[in-house]
Amino acid sequence: MNAALFAADLRLLWRHGFAIAYLVVAVLYAAALSALPRAWADAVLPVLAWSDPTFFCFFFAGASVCLDLAQGTFRSLFASPLRPSAYLIVKALDLGILSFAMAALVSASSRGAGFRLWPLAVSAVAGGAPTALLGATLALRLKSVNRFMMGSIPAFLVLALPAVQYAAGRYLPPWFGLVADLSPGDGSLAFARAAYTPVPAGELALGALAAAAWTVAIARFALAPAVNAARGD
Amino acid sequence: MIRVRDLRFTYPKGTSEAIRGIDFAVAPGEVFGFLGPSGAGKSTTQKILLGSLRGYSGSATVGSVEASGADSRYRAGIGAAFEFPCFYQKLTGLENVRLFASFYPGPKVDPRPLFERLGLADAMDWRLAEYSKGMRMRLNLIRAVIHRPRVLFLDEPTSGLDPANARVVRDIVRERAADGAAVFLTTHDMAAADATCDRVAFIVDGRIAACDEPAALKRRYGKRAVVVDREPGPEVGAAAGGSAAGASDGASDGASEKTAQAEYPLDGLADDAAFIAELRKPGLLGVRTLDSSLDGIFLRLTGKELV
């Protein structure tokens, strides 16, 4: 772990306004939850907590890579001994920490101390790691913020499937649930739910395994070729 | 330190070779200029040596390690300053340098004296968005040398710099070479190359057309003659005409309106009575050699302008 890179990336997230965006959304989430009836708020909270790492890490990792591409800094990074994987892990970690802080803040605003922190932390890792790598991969391939915003829509829809299943699963055909289970963000949702209600250990273990498998697969088969292609640009 | 043998490379979507069998070596302590027009293959060669491009044939090694196997250890000994200096816009100059320095193992140079020497002391804490192009170029050099690399790749390091700062950059490059670094300098700027490099290679269309010390190239391809410049005037003009006729090639290279010129061959100059007589005449402005410039030699060898 490169502490200077970790600190510099956090500084950049702050100076580029990503941290402020997290804070603003957290306040909006908290305000929306406070306006809902208790039962509804409790039902919505796991999805909000899950969406923090899943969607924010995806979009902000992509946007952050687009900024690197726009500033041309990758060429110097690639010429240095820093491994691209270390660079992207630090990005994912910083975004995951912000997501975790945001989810904890929103949870505290709605339930006081009535939630568990560790499942939220695992949810941030399980949701943030694969989606941040996916966002970074798409950004490296699409090369600009505008193209990333358009090109990431299909990936966003796939990432959102577990939320649809969570909200409306009982009204949807069984195959939809199977497809949603295959989404890279599905493992994270189990842990987000576990922060507020008991979830079977087997389901959590499966969720952690799925998140780890997705992270490794995206890193190996999508991100690594994208990095190699960007290296030669 | 750097050794390239029969290097060939074709881009995946290319129809012809970008590099067509080049050979050269750069020793520790040497500044090697790689000169050529845009598209000649300079950047491709540099990318291969930096380990960014693979799939080449032949051999390209830095410190005896093949570039195709470049890893973190390989890159740790290299410093690179690219033509377009790219930094994090929202970080200050010092933050940028410290961040990039953190990627390299081992002790680093204190950046502050370098900031001062390159006229950036006051801008050290400015964000990059406030830096001019020339300031970024200077910061680029600081970033490249901060970890005392054994091999330094510099792409147009004096581009956009005023003469005073260009001189400081050249001095730092020479100092790094004196410290044992092998410097691979890519440029269009023949004057800068002439002033900085121990040897230069002319690359055009993926091939090296010539490779030697600048002075040797000038001797080999330059005109071995001196020109005497003097003030024009009826008496002087007649004298100049007479002496020009006395020159072995019989050619004055065409006096301008304000200056009369006469040319004498360098060989046997000390015994050339006409030349000595020319020096004794009134109105002498100066004597200069007719060395070819590196630009002229490049044009002569390759038929291409350096653009």
Side-chain angles (χ1 to χ4, degrees):
Chain A
M1 170 60 71
N2 182 323
L5 175 59
F6 182 79
D9 194 60
L10 271 181
R11 197 176 291 130
L12 283 170
L13 287 175
W14 175 257
R15 291 185 186 168
H16 279 298
F18 291 127
I20 292 288
Y22 269 105
L23 199 60
V24 168
V25 173
V27 170
L28 288 175
Y29 277 5
L33 285 171
S34 69
L36 292 175
R38 177 81 261 155
W40 288 24
D42 284 348
V44 169
L45 191 51
V47 174
L48 293 186
W50 165 83
S51 72
D52 293 343
T54 303
F55 295 146
F56 278 69
C57 286
F58 173 71
F59 280 116
F60 285 173
S64 184
V65 167
C66 286
L67 278 169
D68 270 317
L69 289 168
Q71 293 174 134
T73 43
F74 271 138
R75 201 167 177 203
S76 294
L77 288 172
F78 289 155
S80 81
L82 180 73
R83 290 172 188 275
S85 57
Y87 182 70
L88 293 167
I89 285 168
V90 165
K91 273 199 184 307
L93 191 62
D94 282 339
L95 290 168
I97 287 171
L98 288 177
S99 298
F100 168 66
M102 178 179 166
L105 191 68
V106 171
S107 301
S109 77
S110 179
R111 296 173 67 110
F115 67 100
R116 293 187 295 170
L117 273 175
W118 76 261
L120 272 190
V122 178
S123 174
V125 173
T131 58
L133 297 189
L134 187 61
T137 302
L138 283 173
L140 281 171
R141 291 291 186 191
L142 298 171
K143 294 185 170 36
S144 76
V145 172
N146 288 343
R147 292 174 69 188
F148 173 71
M149 294 309 285
M150 296 304 294
S152 63
I153 289 173
F156 171 76
L157 293 175
V158 171
L159 291 177
L161 291 177
V164 177
Q165 173 67 15
Y166 173 83
R170 72 185 69 172
Y171 308 112
L172 296 170
W175 63 261
F176 187 90
L178 292 172
V179 173
D181 287 348
L182 293 174
S183 166
D186 189 62
S188 172
L189 184 54
F191 284 96
R193 283 166 37 227
Y196 314 103
T197 55
V199 173
E203 190 178 342
L204 291 180
L206 197 63
L209 204 62
W214 270 113
T215 303
V216 170
I218 292 170
R220 174 72 183 81
F221 300 110
L223 185 59
V227 167
N228 285 336
R231 227 186 243 286
D233 282 346
Chain B
M1 189 63 78
I2 300 173
R3 181 167 288 280
V4 169
R5 288 184 198 137
D6 193 26
L7 182 67
R8 294 174 183 276
F9 181 79
T10 304
Y11 281 97
K13 292 178 183 173
T15 52
S16 62
E17 285 183 322
I19 303 292
R20 305 177 181 197
I22 61 174
D23 298 85
F24 63 86
V26 187
E30 184 180 23
V31 182
F32 184 81
F34 208 50
L35 317 178
S38 300
K42 302 191 300 288
S43 295
T44 302
T45 306
Q46 185 174 288
K47 280 184 181 178
I48 289 170
L49 285 165
L50 285 170
S52 298
L53 278 182
R54 300 189 180 187
Y56 58 83
S57 68
S59 174
T61 61
V62 173
S64 305
V65 179
E66 193 64 44
S68 58
D71 57 7
S72 292
R73 189 184 294 180
Y74 178 95
R75 294 191 176 96
I78 291 175
F82 299 107
E83 182 180 3
F84 301 106
C86 297
F87 294 92
Y88 290 103
Q89 302 295 302
K90 298 277 186 181
L91 296 182
T92 67
L94 190 58
E95 285 171 343
N96 266 289
V97 167
R98 284 189 168 151
L99 173 62
F100 281 95
S102 75
F103 303 154
Y104 294 85
K108 315 293 186 311
V109 177
D110 179 5
R112 291 172 191 274
L114 280 170
F115 272 90
E116 282 175 20
R117 198 166 165 200
L118 285 158
L120 294 173
D122 294 338
M124 206 153 47
D125 297 319
W126 296 2
R127 290 192 186 179
L128 254 290
E130 298 172 68
Y131 274 52
S132 67
K133 192 203 168 192
M135 293 165 85
R136 287 167 194 239
M137 289 302 295
R138 285 175 271 159
L139 190 66
N140 210 20
L141 183 69
I142 296 175
R143 175 172 60 182
V145 302
I146 194 78
H147 57 290
R148 289 195 167 275
R150 290 175 297 116
V151 181
L152 199 48
F153 288 92
L154 303 174
D155 196 351
E156 305 285 1
T158 53
S159 169
L161 297 186
D162 59 78
N165 278 312
R167 169 169 286 205
V168 176
V169 166
R170 285 197 297 268
D171 288 347
I172 291 173
V173 171
R174 291 298 330 173
E175 286 165 21
R176 296 303 307 128
D179 205 27
V183 182
F184 184 84
L185 191 152
T186 311
T187 186
H188 293 101
D189 185 347
M190 293 290 179
D194 199 358
T196 316
C197 297
D198 298 306
R199 282 189 307 138
V200 296
F202 293 150
I203 181 167
V204 63
D205 294 335
R207 291 191 181 94
I208 289 180
C211 179
D212 210 333
E213 296 171 13
L217 286 171
K218 287 187 213 169
R219 279 197 302 273
R220 194 179 313 152
Y221 298 104
K223 195 168 184 182
R224 292 179 52 77
V226 295
V227 170
V228 177
D229 292 317
R230 64 173 57 258
E231 292 171 354
E235 184 188 339
V236 173
S243 67
S248 67
D249 63 1
S252 163
D253 62 354
S256 68
E257 281 185 18
K258 293 185 178 175
T259 311
Q261 299 171 332
E263 187 179 313
Y264 298 89
L266 204 55
D267 296 323
L269 189 64
D271 301 322
D272 190 331
F275 171 70
I276 292 166
E278 186 74 31
L279 295 180
R280 289 188 176 129
K281 289 173 188 168
L284 182 68
L285 291 174
V287 180
R288 58 194 163 88
T289 59
L290 269 186
D291 282 344
S292 277
S293 65
L294 288 182
D295 287 282
I297 297 169
F298 186 87
L299 184 62
R300 186 170 159 191
L301 284 172
T302 66
K304 299 205 175 194
E305 296 277 3
L306 271 169
V307 289

